[in-house]
Amino acid sequence: MTRSVSAHPEAAASNVKQGQYSPRKRKDTTPRVNPQLAVELVYQELKRVEVYTKRIEDATARKVQIDGKSLESAENRLKNVLADFERQGYRMKNGGYVDKRISFYSILCAVISLLFACFMCYLWTDAAKDRDNYKQYYEYYQEQAREQKGNK
């Protein structure tokens, strides 16, 4: 029996007779990995993760430092405000809150203003009395003026 040369050399090399079903051999699809290369890739990825972690830790530390500094400055400002309140309270207790000279001048101005107001009231009432005194003459003058207009 002569074998015919087929188009598939694998089929010719096999011991299976032509026409009989034979399953194909599957190629091995699992990738060939160089273990040294795999270790290097994992090591590089770990380094990259470490760098990111370090950056995050640094940023967090800076944020904590900034928060600590701002907290400290706010605390100092509050202490200053409290100290100012204490100083003002002490001055108020001892009567030194307003300078004695300033309080004297302000009282003097108030007294002068009061005297001026009294003087103006006096002038106003005096003018009203004068108006009442001259009212009869004014009415007489108006009557004369009406008569003159009536005669014309």
Side-chain angles (χ1 to χ4, degrees):
M1 194 174 179
T2 1
R3 282 195 179 186
S4 63
V5 179
S6 79
H8 299 290
E10 309 96 28
S14 71
N15 296 335
V16 181
K17 294 179 185 173
Q18 199 170 2
Q20 191 176 3
Y21 172 75
S22 67
R24 287 188 196 161
K25 288 187 177 179
R26 292 191 174 187
K27 291 183 180 175
D28 190 12
T29 56
T30 56
R32 301 276 181 235
V33 177
N34 182 352
Q36 182 67 29
L37 182 63
V39 169
E40 282 184 32
L41 288 174
V42 169
Y43 181 74
Q44 285 176 359
E45 193 63 26
L46 281 174
K47 282 292 185 190
R48 203 167 60 89
V49 169
E50 281 179 23
V51 168
Y52 282 128
T53 307
K54 179 79 171 132
R55 286 171 62 188
I56 291 170
E57 286 173 354
D58 290 347
T60 306
R62 269 186 267 130
K63 176 78 172 129
V64 167
Q65 272 183 337
I66 289 170
D67 288 347
K69 286 178 183 175
S70 62
L71 210 67
E72 191 176 319
S73 69
E75 185 180 357
N76 287 338
R77 278 184 268 146
L78 274 175
K79 284 180 182 176
N80 289 339
V81 168
L82 285 174
D84 286 343
F85 277 134
E86 285 176 5
R87 275 187 245 123
Q88 283 181 349
Y90 180 73
R91 276 189 272 162
M92 289 173 78
K93 277 185 203 171
N94 294 335
Y97 184 66
V98 179
D99 192 11
K100 303 258 191 283
R101 208 172 342 126
I102 293 173
S103 60
F104 172 74
Y105 287 128
S106 57
I107 291 170
L108 187 64
C109 285
V111 168
I112 290 173
S113 298
L114 186 62
L115 287 174
F116 181 73
C118 289
F119 179 66
M120 292 306 292
C121 285
Y122 168 74
L123 290 178
W124 193 335
T125 54
D126 194 42
K129 285 180 190 173
D130 287 345
R131 186 195 67 211
D132 292 341
N133 289 339
Y134 291 110
K135 189 174 184 182
Q136 57 188 345
Y137 301 115
Y138 178 71
E139 289 172 355
Y140 174 76
Y141 173 75
Q142 279 185 336
E143 203 174 298
Q144 291 294 323
R146 268 190 242 128
E147 285 177 9
Q148 285 180 358
K149 281 185 184 178
N151 291 340
K152 286 185 182 178

